[in-house]
Amino acid sequence: MDSLGRYEQQVAWTVVGTDIGPLLLAATRDGLVNVVFHATDEVRDKALDRLTSRLGTEPVEAPESPLLAEAIRQVAAYFSGERRDFDLPLDWSLISGFNRQVLRELASGVSYGAVVGYGDLAGRVGQPGAAQAVGVAMGSNPLPVVVPCHRVVESDGGIGGFGGGLETKRKLLALEGVLPEPLF
């Protein structure tokens, strides 16, 4: 507790190796709060500074933390092909409004091995014509992979953009059987 008798926010983090490179996972008592692609030292440090600023407490490296244990297990199972869906408590505190609404719909309504168009996802949340805004929501997703923004594609069959890079998006879609495995 802090000096006013309030419970302080605890944020635990670790970096896990995956087939798409290192991922930073961060969790609070409420659930997984952040997943960051390409978590090299520099990327990791910037992400941790952002978390400190946004959550008001400095994250603690704690790979053995009970807050992270299930997330680590499920991420490993996903990349090994043993898990298709994540069943984790999520802390949505880093996102709000339309973006949160879109990401919640994505998490609950677009299953493993399926894709959805930006415009279709906009329609699902009652905002037809807001495809670009959905793209912004995907770009601000604090929980990629777990909240599968890689499953959102262009309506004309294009792969669309991706904050983790197009090669990462292709690998995730190949893992889920949406795209063929790359030959090289």
XYZ file of all heavy atoms in Angstrom, residues 134-141 149 163:
59
model
N -10.584 1.766 -37.802
C -10.241 0.417 -37.353
C -8.743 0.191 -37.538
O -8.081 -0.393 -36.679
C -11.076 -0.652 -38.089
C -10.518 -2.050 -37.853
C -12.523 -0.581 -37.631
N -8.195 0.661 -38.654
C -6.755 0.556 -38.869
C -5.970 1.258 -37.778
O -4.961 0.737 -37.285
N -6.438 2.414 -37.352
C -5.798 3.135 -36.251
C -5.885 2.316 -34.965
O -4.915 2.207 -34.212
C -6.414 4.541 -36.065
C -5.913 5.205 -34.793
C -6.114 5.413 -37.280
N -7.043 1.715 -34.722
C -7.212 0.875 -33.531
C -6.243 -0.300 -33.552
O -5.652 -0.651 -32.531
C -8.649 0.381 -33.426
N -6.065 -0.907 -34.736
C -5.131 -2.037 -34.840
C -3.714 -1.562 -34.522
O -2.961 -2.238 -33.830
C -5.157 -2.671 -36.234
C -6.477 -3.309 -36.634
S -7.104 -4.540 -35.480
C -8.393 -3.608 -34.661
N -3.351 -0.390 -35.009
C -2.023 0.157 -34.770
C -1.773 0.540 -33.326
O -0.622 0.635 -32.898
N -2.838 0.756 -32.570
C -2.674 1.129 -31.166
C -2.927 -0.041 -30.215
O -2.972 0.145 -28.998
C -3.601 2.289 -30.813
O -4.954 1.903 -30.938
N -3.066 -1.241 -30.766
C -3.346 -2.430 -29.964
C -2.202 -2.687 -28.980
O -1.094 -3.004 -29.394
C -3.524 -3.639 -30.890
C -3.842 -4.920 -30.159
O -4.004 -4.957 -28.939
N -3.929 -6.007 -30.911
N -4.712 -8.671 -33.915
C -4.822 -7.674 -34.976
C -4.204 -8.170 -36.285
O -4.519 -7.636 -37.350
C -4.219 -6.345 -34.539
S -2.560 -6.422 -33.877
N 1.800 -3.281 -37.162
C 2.792 -2.635 -36.306
C 4.033 -3.470 -36.066
O 5.105 -2.935 -35.843
